[in-house]
Amino acid sequence: MALRTIRIEGEDDILTKQCKPVSKMTDRTKELISDMFETMYHANGVGLAAPQVGVLRQIFVVDIGDGKRFVCINPEVTPVGDEVQTGEEGCLSVPNKEGIVTRAMKVHVKALDINMEPYEFDAEGLLARAMQHENDHLAGIMYTSLVEGELEDVEYEALEEADWEE
Ligand code: NI
């Protein structure tokens, strides 16, 4: 396993490109997925998509900290119902920023797992937000294009909070 370099918005146009489907699982792709988890945890993220580490394939990983790790290959993420959620969102490719994005409250996800076996599940709340955010990456859509109002700087706020806790 190894950490991969996270591509940064504005520095790398790979983030705005459409990803291609995965046709078969290979050792190289398994290594990529393993590296994506390691890179995501190292950066304290809850999701990471393959183009964020420079690979234009339809793969993302998600772990919102509820004990479940998701590998989604060639996913389809479909909103369920009309209910929406509006809240703060960030992205490892847009460091130290966050913005308000409205997403579907519930989604249905169909994907292949790491063995290329189909599976599907419903997600809501934060997990649904993460699924929509990561799935957008596979179509070259950055959350910054969906932000309502201005992107906010979170760097200093986070530092101040850390100081307060000490
Ligand atoms: Ni992102």
Side-chain angles (χ1 to χ4, degrees):
M1 294 216 299
L3 292 178
R4 306 252 178 152
T5 303
I6 297 176
R7 306 302 175 93
I8 303 299
E9 186 181 40
E11 296 177 9
D12 202 321
D13 64 5
I14 196 169
L15 292 168
T16 56
K17 291 181 176 164
Q18 173 70 42
C19 291
K20 295 192 175 85
V22 177
S23 55
K24 64 178 183 354
M25 186 50 57
T26 62
D27 287 347
R28 205 165 157 225
T29 303
K30 279 188 179 157
E31 190 179 347
L32 167 68
I33 291 167
S34 165
D35 289 353
M36 285 170 63
F37 274 114
E38 188 178 3
T39 304
M40 177 184 78
Y41 291 131
H42 183 260
N44 294 315
V46 298
L48 190 69
Q52 293 184 273
V53 294
V55 179
L56 278 175
R57 290 289 165 187
Q58 292 179 12
I59 304 170
F60 65 71
V61 299
V62 165
D63 182 347
I64 62 164
D66 64 353
K68 293 189 194 117
R69 289 159 51 113
F70 293 90
V71 176
C72 296
I73 298 170
N74 304 347
E76 287 175 40
V77 177
T78 312
V80 176
D82 296 329
E83 199 182 347
V84 296
Q85 51 179 323
T86 298
E88 283 167 353
E89 201 161 308
C91 179
L92 295 177
S93 292
V94 190
N96 304 319
K97 300 280 183 190
E98 64 183 26
I100 302 291
V101 181
T102 297
R103 301 278 192 185
M105 178 60 85
K106 295 178 186 169
V107 294
H108 187 73
V109 181
K110 287 185 181 182
L112 304 178
D113 67 14
I114 197 162
N115 299 311
M116 300 297 276
E117 295 291 336
Y119 73 117
E120 52 190 284
F121 56 95
D122 289 313
E124 67 177 281
L126 177 59
L127 185 59
R129 177 179 290 282
M131 293 292 160
Q132 291 167 87
H133 176 114
E134 299 313 327
N135 192 54
D136 277 355
H137 274 299
L138 306 186
I141 298 167
M142 294 292 293
Y143 90 100
T144 47
S145 68
L146 308 174
V147 164
E148 298 155 27
E150 300 289 314
L151 270 187
E152 305 224 346
D153 210 324
V154 292
E155 186 175 15
Y156 294 109
E157 195 180 318
L159 283 174
E160 278 168 24
E161 278 174 10
D163 285 344
W164 276 102
E165 281 166 15
E166 282 175 2

